Amino acid sequence: MAFSSPMPNREFLWDVFSRVDKDRSGYISTDELQIALSNGTWSPFNPETIRLMIGMFDKQNRGAVNFEDFGALWKYVTDWQNCFRSFDRDNSGNIDKNELRTALTTFGYRLSEGVVDVLMRKFDRHSGGTILFDDFIQCCIILYTLTASFRQYDTDQDGVITIHYEQFLSMVFSLKI
């Protein structure tokens, strides 16, 4: 993602971390993070997206992030927010199918119209023909993770792999998605 923002200063991050860490445990849980984040619709952030992000930044494998992990997670969410806004051409607060296709093409994916349709159905949680910020993050994380896993087997980079059923199962079940 080429929409990188500068890391906020430590005092600012500590202030945010302290407000989000409601139980004063020194860790931010998935529940605490879900309450703290907004997808722009006054509805809770998608719990599945929260789980994926915590999993990405939870270096101690506790199901929560400490202050150091939180800084990286905060920057990650901010970068995604900038990215999302750049593709939300009509400033509607969501991504429609054309905006999603543009975003994915910009990221280097060459997907058929049918696959873009599948992604829209999968990540349009409210069946409104659009994808909200949190669901956009989830879509991009899952697509990236699946692509990276596929590429391990696509040694000649031709977009085709031949694997046995158990290799497929191992590949899919070992993913953190």
Side-chain angles (χ1 to χ4, degrees):
M1 191 170 44
F3 301 91
S4 187
S5 62
M7 184 66 105
N9 72 43
R10 196 166 174 82
E11 294 79 28
F12 171 81
L13 281 176
W14 181 252
D15 182 52
V16 173
F17 182 87
S18 298
R19 282 187 277 131
V20 175
D21 182 17
K22 298 287 187 201
D23 65 1
R24 301 289 177 248
S25 66
Y27 290 88
I28 293 177
S29 68
T30 54
D31 291 341
E32 289 169 328
L33 189 59
Q34 183 181 19
I35 291 166
L37 293 177
S38 168
N39 67 9
T41 66
W42 303 104
S43 62
F45 218 77
N46 185 330
E48 186 59 23
T49 305
I50 296 290
R51 185 190 65 77
L52 284 171
M53 290 190 316
I54 291 277
M56 290 170 64
F57 292 94
D58 175 16
K59 303 280 189 283
Q60 298 172 341
N61 222 16
R62 295 177 56 128
V65 291
N66 63 18
F67 177 66
E68 298 306 319
D69 298 337
F70 178 72
L73 188 143
W74 180 269
K75 183 179 180 333
Y76 185 78
V77 171
T78 302
D79 288 346
W80 272 116
Q81 193 172 42
N82 293 334
C83 175
F84 181 84
R85 286 181 181 145
S86 76
F87 292 113
D88 180 14
R89 301 269 187 232
D90 60 0
N91 294 316
S92 62
N94 53 53
I95 297 283
D96 65 24
K97 181 180 170 184
N98 291 328
E99 292 165 332
L100 178 65
R101 185 184 321 98
T102 299
L104 297 176
T105 300
T106 301
F107 298 157
Y109 296 104
R110 301 292 175 253
L111 303 173
S112 70
E113 206 57 33
V115 172
V116 175
D117 287 339
V118 168
L119 292 172
M120 283 300 298
R121 282 192 304 275
K122 171 81 176 158
F123 295 101
D124 176 10
R125 223 177 352 139
H126 301 289
S127 302
T130 60
I131 297 176
L132 299 173
F133 173 56
D134 49 348
D135 299 315
F136 177 72
I137 294 173
Q138 183 183 356
C139 174
C140 293
I141 291 171
I142 290 174
L143 190 57
Y144 174 81
T145 304
L146 290 171
T147 300
S149 185
F150 182 91
R151 283 187 176 151
Q152 291 178 345
Y153 292 93
D154 187 14
T155 54
D156 58 358
Q157 300 295 300
D158 67 351
V160 176
I161 62 173
T162 302
I163 58 175
H164 298 283
Y165 180 61
E166 287 194 7
Q167 285 176 299
F168 170 75
L169 291 177
S170 294
M171 179 176 76
V172 171
F173 288 129
S174 68
L175 300 176
K176 287 181 94 176
I177 57 174

